[in-house]
Amino acid sequence: GESVGLHLPTLSVQEGDNSIINCAYSNSASDYFIWYKQESGKGPQFIIDIRSNMDKRQGQRVTVLLNKTVKHLSLQIAATQPGDSAVYFCAESILTGGGNKLTFGTGTQLKVEL
Amino acid sequence: DVKVTQSSRYLVKRTGEKVFLECVQDMDHENMFWYRQDPGLGLRLIYFSYDVKMKEKGDIPEGYSVSREKKERFSLILESASTNQTSMYLCASSTHTRGYTFGSGTRLTVV
Protein backbone atom coordinates (compact mmCIF):
# COMPACT_ATOMS: atom_id res chain seq x y z
CA GLY A 1 0.00 0.00 0.00
CA GLU A 2 0.95 3.64 -0.15
CA SER A 3 3.05 5.06 2.67
CA VAL A 4 4.05 8.41 4.06
CA GLY A 5 7.64 8.89 5.13
CA LEU A 6 9.75 11.46 6.90
CA HIS A 7 13.28 12.51 6.01
CA LEU A 8 14.66 12.84 9.55
CA PRO A 9 13.72 10.96 12.69
CA THR A 10 15.12 13.65 15.07
CA LEU A 11 15.52 17.40 14.68
CA SER A 12 17.27 19.60 17.26
CA VAL A 13 16.87 23.38 17.15
CA GLN A 14 17.77 26.29 19.37
CA GLU A 15 14.98 28.14 21.13
CA GLY A 16 13.94 31.10 19.00
CA ASP A 17 15.12 29.59 15.73
CA ASN A 18 12.78 28.45 12.98
CA SER A 19 12.14 24.71 12.56
CA ILE A 20 11.46 22.89 9.32
CA ILE A 21 10.12 19.35 9.38
CA ASN A 22 9.90 17.53 6.08
CA CYS A 23 7.72 14.75 4.77
CA ALA A 24 7.65 12.79 1.50
CA TYR A 25 4.44 11.16 0.37
CA SER A 26 4.08 8.55 -2.32
CA ASN A 27 0.43 8.58 -3.37
CA SER A 28 0.00 11.13 -6.12
CA ALA A 29 -3.79 10.81 -5.74
CA SER A 30 -3.73 12.20 -2.19
CA ASP A 31 -5.58 15.49 -1.99
CA TYR A 32 -5.53 16.32 1.69
CA PHE A 33 -2.59 16.61 4.08
CA ILE A 34 -2.32 17.22 7.79
CA TRP A 35 0.35 17.81 10.39
CA TYR A 36 -0.09 16.51 13.92
CA LYS A 37 1.86 17.14 17.10
CA GLN A 38 2.13 14.48 19.78
CA GLU A 39 3.53 15.23 23.20
CA SER A 40 4.72 12.43 25.44
CA GLY A 41 1.85 10.41 26.87
CA LYS A 42 -0.82 12.24 24.89
CA GLY A 43 -2.81 11.65 21.74
CA PRO A 44 -1.86 13.43 18.50
CA GLN A 45 -3.10 17.01 18.23
CA PHE A 46 -4.15 18.62 14.94
CA ILE A 47 -1.85 21.50 13.93
CA ILE A 48 -2.68 22.51 10.39
CA ASP A 49 -4.04 21.03 7.18
CA ILE A 50 -3.81 21.80 3.48
CA ARG A 51 -5.67 20.64 0.40
CA SER A 52 -4.01 19.81 -2.88
CA ASN A 53 -5.39 22.90 -4.61
CA MET A 54 -3.11 25.02 -2.41
CA ASP A 55 0.66 25.15 -2.05
CA LYS A 56 0.92 27.12 1.17
CA ARG A 57 -1.17 27.68 4.26
CA GLN A 58 -0.35 29.65 7.37
CA GLY A 59 -1.52 29.33 10.94
CA GLN A 60 -0.31 30.80 14.16
CA ARG A 61 3.51 30.45 14.02
CA VAL A 62 3.17 27.51 11.63
CA THR A 63 3.22 27.26 7.86
CA VAL A 64 2.64 24.19 5.73
CA LEU A 65 4.09 24.00 2.25
CA LEU A 66 2.98 21.49 -0.35
CA ASN A 67 4.98 20.67 -3.47
CA LYS A 68 2.91 18.27 -5.54
CA THR A 69 5.52 18.04 -8.27
CA VAL A 70 7.97 16.25 -6.01
CA LYS A 71 5.35 14.98 -3.54
CA HIS A 72 6.83 16.83 -0.61
CA LEU A 73 5.23 18.40 2.44
CA SER A 74 6.91 20.56 5.07
CA LEU A 75 5.97 22.15 8.36
CA GLN A 76 7.68 25.37 9.36
CA ILE A 77 7.52 26.54 12.96
CA ALA A 78 8.57 30.14 13.58
CA ALA A 79 10.45 31.17 16.73
CA THR A 80 10.51 27.64 18.14
CA GLN A 81 9.67 27.41 21.82
CA PRO A 82 10.34 24.69 24.43
CA GLY A 83 6.64 23.82 24.32
CA ASP A 84 7.09 22.83 20.67
CA SER A 85 9.16 19.81 21.71
CA ALA A 86 7.17 16.81 20.55
CA VAL A 87 6.86 14.24 17.80
CA TYR A 88 5.39 15.61 14.59
CA PHE A 89 3.49 13.43 12.11
CA CYS A 90 2.42 14.16 8.60
CA ALA A 91 -0.58 12.37 7.17
CA GLU A 92 -2.26 12.11 3.79
CA SER A 93 -5.72 11.22 2.63
CA ILE A 94 -7.93 11.06 -0.41
CA LEU A 95 -11.13 12.96 0.32
CA THR A 96 -12.77 12.67 -3.09
CA GLY A 97 -15.18 9.78 -3.36
CA GLY A 98 -16.24 9.93 0.25
CA GLY A 99 -14.62 8.71 3.43
CA ASN A 100 -11.45 10.05 4.99
CA LYS A 101 -8.79 7.50 5.86
CA LEU A 102 -5.46 9.00 6.79
CA THR A 103 -2.12 7.34 6.22
CA PHE A 104 0.48 8.49 8.76
CA GLY A 105 4.22 8.80 8.65
CA THR A 106 6.34 7.40 11.46
CA GLY A 107 7.08 10.82 12.98
CA THR A 108 9.92 13.26 13.60
CA GLN A 109 11.07 14.08 17.11
CA LEU A 110 11.62 17.83 17.53
CA LYS A 111 13.91 18.80 20.40
CA VAL A 112 14.21 22.43 21.41
CA GLU A 113 17.47 23.35 23.09
CA LEU A 114 17.59 26.27 25.49
CA ASP B 1 -14.56 22.07 23.76
CA VAL B 2 -15.05 19.10 21.46
CA LYS B 3 -13.70 15.81 22.67
CA VAL B 4 -12.88 12.23 21.96
CA THR B 5 -12.89 10.37 25.26
CA GLN B 6 -11.27 7.01 25.84
CA SER B 7 -12.54 5.29 28.95
CA SER B 8 -9.19 4.25 30.41
CA ARG B 9 -5.69 5.77 30.31
CA TYR B 10 -3.97 2.62 31.59
CA LEU B 11 -5.08 -1.01 31.59
CA VAL B 12 -3.37 -4.21 32.67
CA LYS B 13 -4.96 -7.46 31.51
CA ARG B 14 -4.02 -11.11 31.58
CA THR B 15 -3.33 -13.25 28.53
CA GLY B 16 -6.54 -14.78 27.25
CA GLU B 17 -8.86 -12.16 28.74
CA LYS B 18 -11.48 -10.44 26.63
CA VAL B 19 -10.74 -6.72 26.65
CA PHE B 20 -13.05 -3.83 25.77
CA LEU B 21 -11.70 -0.39 24.91
CA GLU B 22 -14.37 2.28 24.74
CA CYS B 23 -14.33 5.52 22.79
CA VAL B 24 -16.95 8.27 22.78
CA GLN B 25 -17.02 11.48 20.72
CA ASP B 26 -19.33 14.46 21.18
CA MET B 27 -18.85 16.10 17.78
CA ASP B 28 -21.49 14.16 15.81
CA HIS B 29 -18.72 12.87 13.53
CA GLU B 30 -19.53 10.22 10.96
CA ASN B 31 -16.15 8.54 10.99
CA MET B 32 -14.39 6.78 13.83
CA PHE B 33 -11.07 4.95 13.91
CA TRP B 34 -8.95 2.73 16.10
CA TYR B 35 -5.17 2.81 15.81
CA ARG B 36 -2.37 1.24 17.75
CA GLN B 37 0.93 3.02 18.18
CA ASP B 38 4.21 1.23 18.78
CA PRO B 39 7.77 2.62 18.86
CA GLY B 40 9.32 2.64 15.41
CA LEU B 41 6.09 1.51 13.74
CA GLY B 42 4.04 4.68 13.99
CA LEU B 43 0.26 4.64 13.86
CA ARG B 44 -1.33 1.53 12.39
CA LEU B 45 -5.01 1.35 11.56
CA ILE B 46 -6.90 -1.53 13.15
CA TYR B 47 -10.54 -0.85 12.23
CA PHE B 48 -12.65 2.08 11.14
CA SER B 49 -16.30 2.98 10.70
CA TYR B 50 -17.95 5.50 8.42
CA ASP B 51 -21.43 5.09 9.91
CA VAL B 52 -23.45 3.43 12.64
CA LYS B 53 -23.34 -0.37 12.47
CA MET B 54 -20.76 -0.13 9.73
CA LYS B 55 -17.16 -1.35 10.13
CA GLU B 56 -14.21 -1.96 7.89
CA LYS B 57 -10.89 -3.65 8.48
CA GLY B 58 -7.80 -1.54 8.58
CA ASP B 59 -4.24 -2.70 8.08
CA ILE B 60 -3.90 -4.92 11.15
CA PRO B 61 -7.35 -6.26 12.16
CA GLU B 62 -6.24 -9.73 13.26
CA GLY B 63 -7.10 -10.43 16.89
CA TYR B 64 -9.49 -7.47 17.12
CA SER B 65 -13.14 -6.72 16.50
CA VAL B 66 -15.22 -3.56 16.82
CA SER B 67 -18.74 -2.45 17.55
CA ARG B 68 -20.55 0.73 16.60
CA GLU B 69 -24.15 0.56 17.80
CA LYS B 70 -24.44 4.34 18.27
CA LYS B 71 -22.93 7.17 16.27
CA GLU B 72 -20.97 8.56 19.20
CA ARG B 73 -19.45 5.30 20.47
CA PHE B 74 -16.89 3.00 18.87
CA SER B 75 -15.64 0.02 20.87
CA LEU B 76 -12.52 -2.03 20.22
CA ILE B 77 -12.59 -5.63 21.42
CA LEU B 78 -9.63 -7.91 21.96
CA GLU B 79 -11.26 -11.33 21.86
CA SER B 80 -8.40 -13.10 23.64
CA ALA B 81 -5.64 -10.74 24.70
CA SER B 82 -2.06 -11.69 23.91
CA THR B 83 1.23 -10.14 24.96
CA ASN B 84 1.87 -8.86 21.42
CA GLN B 85 -1.20 -6.66 21.82
CA THR B 86 0.56 -4.62 24.49
CA SER B 87 0.49 -1.16 22.97
CA MET B 88 -0.89 2.37 23.03
CA TYR B 89 -4.38 2.40 21.52
CA LEU B 90 -5.70 5.61 20.01
CA CYS B 91 -9.25 6.37 19.01
CA ALA B 92 -10.08 9.17 16.57
CA SER B 93 -13.12 10.67 14.90
CA SER B 94 -13.63 12.91 11.90
CA THR B 95 -16.06 14.26 9.37
CA HIS B 96 -15.62 13.29 5.71
CA THR B 97 -13.75 16.49 4.93
CA ARG B 98 -11.41 17.33 7.80
CA GLY B 99 -8.66 15.81 9.87
CA TYR B 100 -9.04 13.55 12.84
CA THR B 101 -9.55 14.47 16.46
CA PHE B 102 -7.76 11.97 18.67
CA GLY B 103 -8.43 10.78 22.17
CA SER B 104 -5.71 10.75 24.82
CA GLY B 105 -4.98 7.08 24.30
CA THR B 106 -5.16 3.88 26.35
CA ARG B 107 -1.91 2.20 27.26
CA LEU B 108 -2.69 -1.49 27.45
CA THR B 109 -0.32 -4.00 29.00
CA VAL B 110 -1.06 -7.70 28.59
CA VAL B 111 0.77 -9.92 31.06
Side-chain angles (χ1 to χ4, degrees):
Chain A
E2 298 290 345
S3 65
V4 175
L6 293 172
H7 292 308
L8 297 172
T10 303
L11 176 66
S12 295
V13 298
Q14 293 290 323
E15 181 181 5
D17 287 352
N18 296 334
S19 303
I20 300 175
I21 302 172
N22 296 304
C23 175
Y25 65 94
S26 57
N27 189 350
S28 57
S30 293
D31 57 11
Y32 180 57
F33 304 88
I34 308 172
W35 281 100
Y36 284 91
K37 172 186 180 183
Q38 187 175 23
E39 296 173 276
S40 182
K42 297 183 179 180
Q45 178 184 5
F46 175 94
I47 302 173
I48 191 167
D49 59 0
I50 188 169
R51 298 185 190 276
S52 58
N53 60 353
M54 303 172 67
D55 53 20
K56 180 178 180 179
R57 188 160 188 235
Q58 289 184 292
Q60 186 177 10
R61 282 201 307 118
V62 295
T63 301
V64 56
L65 299 177
L66 175 63
N67 186 330
K68 295 181 288 294
T69 302
V70 295
K71 290 184 284 187
H72 184 267
L73 191 69
S74 68
L75 176 70
Q76 300 179 359
I77 304 173
T80 310
Q81 302 169 359
D84 294 327
S85 293
V87 175
Y88 290 81
F89 297 92
C90 64
E92 62 177 318
S93 180
I94 301 172
L95 293 185
T96 53
N100 180 6
K101 188 158 70 82
L102 292 175
T103 300
F104 290 87
T106 53
T108 292
Q109 175 76 55
L110 176 65
K111 296 183 178 180
V112 181
E113 298 171 349
L114 303 177
Chain B
D1 192 17
V2 293
K3 279 187 178 177
V4 175
T5 302
Q6 294 184 231
S7 54
S8 303
R9 289 299 306 274
Y10 301 94
L11 277 178
V12 180
K13 297 292 183 181
R14 295 191 180 278
T15 302
E17 277 193 75
K18 190 169 186 176
V19 181
F20 295 85
L21 302 182
E22 305 289 344
C23 176
V24 178
Q25 51 98 0
D26 64 1
M27 296 166 282
D28 200 36
H29 282 172
E30 301 91 350
N31 308 328
M32 296 189 75
F33 307 84
W34 274 106
Y35 286 83
R36 64 178 284 177
Q37 185 176 32
D38 302 287
L41 297 177
L43 288 154
R44 293 183 291 167
L45 181 62
I46 304 171
Y47 268 95
F48 61 102
S49 169
Y50 288 155
D51 203 350
V52 177
K53 296 193 185 291
M54 175 269 179
K55 60 184 178 183
E56 287 196 35
K57 293 179 180 179
D59 301 318
I60 52 164
E62 295 78 19
Y64 303 94
S65 62
V66 290
S67 172
R68 194 168 181 199
E69 296 296 318
K70 295 183 178 181
K71 190 176 185 179
E72 67 270 19
R73 185 180 296 269
F74 193 35
S75 303
L76 179 69
I77 304 155
L78 286 66
E79 298 291 343
S80 178
S82 63
T83 54
N84 63 12
Q85 291 178 308
T86 292
S87 186
M88 168 70 90
Y89 289 87
L90 289 161
C91 176
S93 72
S94 78
T95 65
H96 288 315
T97 58
R98 292 302 302 274
Y100 299 178
T101 299
F102 280 91
S104 298
T106 296
R107 185 165 294 281
L108 173 67
T109 302
V110 182
V111 297

